[in-house]
Amino acid sequence: MLRPPRPAGALPLLVAIAAALTLAPATAGQDDAAFEIPESWLRPVEPFAVADGVYWVGSEELAAYLLTGDEGHVLIDAPMEQNAERILASVRALGFDPADIEIVLATHGHFDHTGAVAAVIEATGAELWLLPAAAELVGAGGRGDFFLGDRAGYPPARAARVLADGEEVRLGELRLRALATPGHTRGCTSWSFRANVDSQPVEAVLVCSLSVLPGYRLVGESASYVGIGSDFCRSLAKLEALEPELFLSNHGSFLGLETKRRELQSGVADAFVDPEGYRDYLRRARLQIEDTLREQGGQGCSDLLRRPGKP
């Protein structure tokens, strides 16, 4: 039996990315800049299973998930160009051949989640499948981002297939649904799928970040992009309508990764089954989004979404 939900801990909504990228909004054409990268973004960890056939192969803080199947594997996110070989080594350490990765997906096109995509594709021959706005940003190597401009570039990768919101990705028995959840980036994509934990079926959601980075403008004439406030609110509502048992995200600190990893090591097979942690993450996201809207002279999400067409 899966154990009942446990109280969620105090998870920070803004992790190291906020500190690394707290800069004034950039404009296209600026040179790439060297950010002070938190050590946890590059610190390796032993790969481990978060569910049956679903593995963490990322760094201590930045997620990369390997979903394995009889007809090939799916990789979601390849964070930081410097992590490329470590991701592949983690796949091998689990007993899988990186050449069997057929599809690479992503949560969003910031360098800390897709910087190693080009290297992984070159090494494996996999195809990159993305939603349109994500395909545009990853195809530009992160350059031209509405907030970072050209300051956080990485080797670009071309999407072999452009997905629609709600479209299902199929590879043998693997099924994943792309959920457009824009705001943090225009192409932010969450992923839902069914998995097994200790041989029992569960619904899983991998959440793309809902973080409002310092410097984002959600409303008014100076909005970071037209409609960003509404995008954040709609994305939040879409995720609130789901009821996953397995809560995943692209940052370890969003999940309480270290606590759950220790539980796994102590024999708790369903450590990542955490519906209350999912709800807690969304409650914190709503607080930040609503507070930012009001601080910037706007109204809350309920008011914003009652006025179609307003940014």
Side-chain angles (χ1 to χ4, degrees):
M1 291 291 293
L2 298 179
R3 58 180 167 71
R6 63 183 178 280
L11 301 179
L13 186 61
L14 287 174
V15 291
I17 188 172
L21 303 181
T22 304
L23 302 168
T27 57
Q30 287 184 295
D31 293 335
D32 294 346
F35 298 111
E36 184 177 346
I37 301 302
E39 291 182 3
S40 62
W41 288 15
L42 301 176
R43 187 179 296 127
V45 295
E46 292 294 322
F48 60 91
V50 301
D52 300 348
V54 181
Y55 301 92
W56 180 284
V57 293
S59 67
E60 184 178 279
E61 171 61 21
L62 301 178
Y65 294 97
L66 181 74
L67 281 65
T68 60
D70 292 339
E71 296 187 25
H73 313 320
V74 173
L75 181 72
I76 308 177
D77 280 356
M80 303 290 296
E81 186 179 357
Q82 301 95 311
N83 286 329
E85 184 48 45
R86 291 183 187 136
I87 293 168
L88 298 172
S90 291
V91 173
R92 296 186 194 100
L94 292 167
F96 301 106
D97 186 345
D100 290 332
I101 298 173
E102 300 289 342
I103 299 171
V104 175
L105 308 174
T107 55
H108 66 276
H110 281 161
F111 72 109
D112 53 324
H113 301 287
T114 48
V117 163
V120 167
I121 289 174
E122 182 178 3
T124 64
E127 290 188 350
L128 179 63
W129 295 13
L130 298 171
L131 290 181
E136 181 179 355
L137 187 57
V138 176
R143 295 169 179 83
D145 179 75
F146 70 81
F147 180 67
L148 299 176
D150 292 352
R151 295 173 298 164
Y154 52 83
R158 183 183 66 83
R161 179 169 171 181
V162 177
L163 303 167
D165 182 22
E167 186 171 349
E168 188 176 64
V169 172
R170 297 186 179 190
L171 180 63
E173 71 274 27
L174 299 178
R175 303 282 191 276
L176 302 95
R177 190 168 302 280
L179 305 173
T181 49
H184 185 74
T185 66
R186 286 189 175 97
C188 224
T189 309
S190 299
W191 297 93
S192 67
F193 55 95
R194 288 185 66 80
N196 289 321
V197 174
D198 203 18
S199 301
Q200 295 196 41
V202 295
E203 295 293 332
V205 171
L206 167 52
V207 179
C208 185
S209 178
L210 290 168
S211 298
V212 182
L213 292 183
Y216 277 23
R217 297 289 304 179
L218 303 190
V219 291
E221 294 182 359
S222 61
S224 295
Y225 69 82
V226 175
I228 184 174
S230 296
D231 276 355
F232 264 114
C233 292
R234 291 191 185 95
S235 296
L236 182 60
K238 179 182 285 190
L239 291 169
E240 287 174 337
L242 304 178
E243 297 183 351
E245 297 148 288
L246 185 65
F247 169 39
L248 304 175
S249 186
N250 49 19
H251 277 277
S253 55
F254 289 173
L255 304 172
L257 181 73
E258 282 307 300
T259 296
K260 291 175 179 175
R261 189 159 66 103
R262 285 194 297 270
E263 290 179 355
L264 278 177
Q265 292 169 343
S266 70
V268 180
D270 59 346
F272 282 79
V273 174
D274 188 11
E276 183 53 38
Y278 178 80
R279 292 291 158 198
D280 184 67
Y281 174 81
L282 295 182
R283 283 192 291 268
R284 292 170 182 274
R286 178 170 285 280
L287 275 173
Q288 192 204 21
I289 292 165
E290 298 267 11
D291 286 351
T292 304
L293 285 168
R294 293 189 174 98
E295 288 168 3
Q296 294 179 356
Q299 302 295 320
C301 281
S302 59
D303 178 78
L304 194 61
L305 297 182
R306 279 198 298 266
R307 298 179 293 152
K310 296 292 183 180

